[in-house]
Amino acid sequence: MAYKLLFVCLGNICRSPSAENIMRHLLKQEGLSNKILCDSAGTSSYHIGAAPDRRMQAAAQKRDIRLVGSARQFSRADFEAFDLILAMDRANYRDILSLDRADIYGEKVKMMCDYATNFPDSEVPDPYYGGQSGFDYVIDLLLDACQGLLQEIKQEM
Ligand code: 4NP
């Protein structure tokens, strides 16, 4: 059985699709694409069906990573379907856990920045209302956090 990761942000058009596609890129490099599967979702319904934001795509392209996917909303079924759920910021974390009515999935939900080793951030900043540099920053932060996360998972496996 493959290990399943779900990356979650607010809109599922900037941060979480970036994390999903960056992690898939790293898994391909390491030959682990069949062992670890990635998906992403948003806590909101704002952008359901939308492709990743063009500004985020441009930032990812600079690192030779292509962003694919269409936005969907996080749902309660995701608690069972995934082994680990990564929240991009504290609001996402709180919104995810607010759907865990029986209070049984808390151990599966982690903050993405807990796995970063070269960045001081405790949250992945929301780049949506800022300039291009914010999108570039998110890609580099997520590359670092995804590498850290992958190291941890490999050790557990
Ligand atoms: P994301 O970014 O949560 O990283 O996908 C955002 C996308 C859309 C909005 C906010 C953040 N919005 O307010 O529509």
Side-chain angles (χ1 to χ4, degrees), residues 2 6-7 11 17-18 25 55 60 94 96 101 113 125-126 132 143:
L6 181 66
F7 300 95
S18 297
H25 174 83
R55 299 163 295 175
R94 201 175 51 234
I96 292 164
R101 285 179 296 202
C113 282
D126 181 349
Q132 186 62 43
L143 266 166

Side-chain angles (χ1 to χ4, degrees), residues 22 25-26 63 65 138-148:
I22 287 169
H25 174 83
L26 297 178
R63 298 284 182 255
I65 294 164
V138 165
I139 291 293
D140 290 336
L141 170 56
L142 287 174
L143 266 166
D144 181 40
C146 281
Q147 275 158 350

Side-chain angles (χ1 to χ4, degrees), residues 9-17 46-47 88 92 125-129:
C9 62
L10 176 64
N12 193 211
I13 55 170
C14 296
R15 294 165 293 175
S16 61
Y46 303 157
H47 298 278
M88 298 298 127
N92 306 148
D126 181 349
Y128 193 69
Y129 292 106

